[in-house]
């Protein structure tokens, strides 16, 4: 891992504590500038959107960059772009899906600019995924020689399947909320999750017939 990836102070603490601390409202990036004082309604809706998603977006950016500082930089950049385009965003079929595409673009650009792959296999908080899958699939993943094998397998999933598993098990979005972000229905979200876990089982040499849950 590169030296400039700064870990959270709680990086050695349980993964759930890392996620909780990072996503707390007081730890979110500064609020981006609202669309403009001339339109009070736009400002209110924009600020309400940020209040709902800020902590979760920060967590997602941290998982990919491996740095709290970078995560704040990425999310603030996304908020500022979204603030400038907020009237346009409100005209989209799904504001959530449009906003999510803005965040994803900022994350991809940061990784490209810094010539880094995603930090999913390195971030301590990503252990939440393994813990969630262990609960759903009983002890089938527990026999791995290294949990990093599971982390790497998750990171290699197709983008939508990886996103669904991360958004579900790490960040805490419901299937309905994930559907809004990805622009699909809940059935499709569950399908992505199910296919993702089947791919993980196959990649790790686990008997797929014994896995359970969505």
């Amino acid at each position: 891992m590169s030296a400039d990836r700064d870990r959270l102070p709680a990086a050695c603490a349980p993964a759930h504590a890392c996620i909780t601390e990072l996503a707390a409202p007081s730890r979110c990036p500064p609020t981006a500038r609202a669309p403009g004082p001339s339109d009070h309604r736009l400002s209110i809706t924009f600020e309400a959107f940020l209040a709902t998603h800020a902590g979760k977006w920060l967590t997602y950016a941290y998982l990919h960059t491996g740095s709290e500082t970078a995560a704040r930089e990425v999310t603030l950049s996304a908020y500022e772009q979204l603030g400038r385009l907020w009237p346009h965003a409100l005209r989209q079929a799904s504001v959530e899906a449009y906003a999510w595409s803005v965040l994803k673009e900022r994350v991809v650009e940061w990784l490209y600019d810094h010539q880094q792959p995603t930090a999913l296999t390195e971030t301590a908080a990503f252990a939440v995924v393994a813990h969630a899958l262990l609960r759903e699939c009983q002890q089938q993943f527990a026999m791995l020689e290294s949990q990093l094998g599971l982390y790497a397998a998750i990171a290699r999933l197709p983008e939508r399947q990886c996103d669904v598993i991360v958004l579900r098990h790490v960040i805490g979005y419901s299937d309905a909320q994930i559907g809004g972000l990805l622009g699909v229905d809940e059935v499709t979200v569950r399908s992505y999750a199910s296919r993702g876990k089947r791919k993980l089982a196959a990649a790790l040499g686990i008997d797929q017939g014994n896995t359970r849950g969505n």
Side-chain angles (χ1 to χ4, degrees):
M1 184 179 66
S2 61
D4 62 341
R5 289 191 182 181
D6 52 279
R7 293 295 183 183
L8 296 175
C12 296
H16 283 284
C18 291
I19 286 291
T20 301
E21 183 180 6
L22 183 61
S26 62
R27 297 180 62 83
C28 294
T31 301
R33 182 173 297 176
S38 61
D39 195 324
H40 186 58
R41 183 186 66 83
L42 284 179
S43 296
I44 290 175
T45 58
F46 180 68
E47 291 168 4
F49 182 90
L50 293 190
T52 299
H53 295 281
K56 291 180 172 64
W57 280 24
L58 181 61
T59 301
Y60 182 86
Y62 170 72
L63 289 170
H64 283 281
T65 63
S67 161
E68 184 180 357
T69 300
R72 292 178 182 281
E73 173 189 329
V74 167
T75 50
L76 183 56
S77 175
Y79 299 157
E80 289 175 342
Q81 179 180 350
L82 192 59
R84 292 192 299 270
L85 301 174
W86 192 240
H88 174 70
L90 292 176
R91 292 194 294 270
Q92 303 307 302
S94 171
V95 176
E96 288 80 7
Y98 179 81
W100 181 249
S101 70
V102 170
L103 174 65
K104 292 266 294 189
E105 184 178 348
R106 295 284 78 77
V107 170
V108 170
E109 285 185 355
W110 189 93
L111 293 173
Y112 178 81
D113 290 344
H114 291 78
Q115 299 183 344
Q116 292 182 188
T118 177
L120 281 178
T121 59
E122 299 176 4
T123 9
F126 194 51
V128 177
V129 173
H131 296 161
L133 289 173
L134 282 170
R135 287 196 301 271
E136 290 195 3
C137 302
Q138 298 178 337
Q139 298 302 312
Q140 294 176 38
F141 293 153
M143 302 306 294
L144 295 177
E145 292 182 4
S146 169
Q147 285 187 329
L148 290 178
L150 177 57
Y151 302 167
I154 294 170
R156 288 194 299 268
L157 287 174
E159 181 180 359
R160 283 293 179 96
Q161 295 173 20
C162 182
D163 272 350
V164 166
I165 287 178
V166 171
L167 291 171
R168 245 188 178 196
H169 298 303
V170 181
I171 300 179
Y173 277 118
S174 68
D175 286 353
Q177 290 172 319
I178 295 171
L181 295 176
L182 302 185
V184 299
D185 57 29
E186 290 184 58
V187 173
T188 302
V189 171
R190 289 192 289 271
S191 176
Y192 282 138
S194 180
R195 281 184 285 166
K197 283 190 283 189
R198 285 199 299 270
K199 284 182 181 292
L200 287 176
L204 299 172
I206 296 169
D207 181 2
Q208 299 177 45
N210 291 332
T211 58
R212 61 182 177 83
N214 291 325

